[in-house]
Amino acid sequence: MSVKKQADGRRSVQVEVEVPGTPEEVWQAIATGPGISSWFVPSEVEERDGTPVAMTASFGPGMEARSRVTAWDPPRRFAREPDGWMTGAPPMADEWIVEARAGGTCIVRIVHSLFASTDDWDDQLEGGQAAFAAFLRTLQLYLTHFRGQTAALMQVMAPFEGTEAEAWETLTTAVGVKGLRVGERWTTPAGVAPLSGVVEHLTEDPYDALLRLDQPGSGIVALGVFTAPGGGPGMAAMNFYLYGDEAAATVARETPLWQAWIEARFPPAAGTEA
């Protein structure tokens, strides 16, 4: 991943993916609260006089991110700037572009940029590029199999001690995907809530996986381990995007059970319990 540098100090990276759907269908998925929440994280689009002015995304308890909308041209392009994304950080912006292609597909391109006079923030740009690439894979899976459907979203996470590699080993072994390949069938092992489906994506650079569910209902499960920017705690996370008439009831019933399950896989170190 390389950072593009311009004479005016703008530094940027970009990531794109080809997805099925019309520009209007893709726009619904990437530029509305219910659409974004169906493949990303719980999100809201704030409007004023019918025009979007801000977007808020919730990555977990106390982890809300708000951005000001600076450009809005449906169904082709919008741009936004995060509000105070990191103390002392240079201004940052994201531009989302939808380009129609032949055959009923579109290219979704994200340009992630900031203004800086040194290379000090390039790691942040490249980290953002990797994160966007992971979520765009989820978008692609959503538009391929669940286009137009609204998800009930279940997020569970727990901090981990040790390395990301160790946490990934623990998580993938516990869920039952360790050693599998893309395209293989997958079922949770004994002692874990029964889920089954197909492995759609599995990588250790970065550590994440996408599983498409078909039992007990349709949906997507995204697994990942990551370390927060600036030396924050390492987190192991699972996002469940469930579709269908029973999805909301399933999320309400299962969220505390899965949260307890992941916390049991990653217990706090001795002497650090609240």
Side-chain angles (χ1 to χ4, degrees), residues 182-256:
V182 170
E184 289 190 320
R185 293 285 306 175
W186 153 81
T187 301
T188 48
V192 182
L195 302 172
S196 65
V198 177
V199 179
E200 294 281 354
H201 178 77
L202 187 62
T203 179
E204 295 185 355
D205 185 23
Y207 294 103
D208 62 44
L210 280 178
L211 313 170
R212 176 165 52 89
L213 297 179
D214 51 33
Q215 294 293 333
S218 59
I220 300 169
V221 182
L223 314 179
V225 300
F226 60 92
T227 301
M235 301 294 292
M238 300 176 68
N239 282 1
F240 295 73
Y241 307 88
L242 305 182
Y243 309 97
D245 294 340
E246 301 300 318
T250 299
V251 166
R253 181 180 66 251
E254 297 291 330
T255 297

Side-chain angles (χ1 to χ4, degrees), residues 51-97:
T51 300
V53 295
M55 294 181 170
T56 301
S58 175
F59 293 88
M63 299 170 65
E64 284 74 33
R66 185 178 187 275
S67 298
R68 291 176 289 110
V69 175
T70 58
W72 190 260
D73 181 22
R76 292 176 289 272
R77 173 184 175 269
F78 72 85
R80 60 187 187 179
E81 296 179 356
D83 287 342
W85 69 279
M86 186 180 295
T87 302
M92 181 171 284
D94 300 325
E95 182 181 21
W96 292 62
I97 301 163

Side-chain angles (χ1 to χ4, degrees), residues 160-172 207 225 266:
F160 63 80
E161 302 291 330
T163 67
E164 290 185 357
E166 292 167 339
W168 187 243
E169 173 91 9
T170 297
L171 183 60
T172 54
Y207 294 103
V225 300
F266 299 97

Side-chain angles (χ1 to χ4, degrees), residues 3 27 33-34 42-43 51 55 92 113 138 152 158 161 175 178 217 239 242:
V3 176
W27 187 262
S43 300
T51 300
M55 294 181 170
M92 181 171 284
S113 62
T138 310
E161 302 291 330
V175 175
K178 178 177 169 56
N239 282 1
L242 305 182

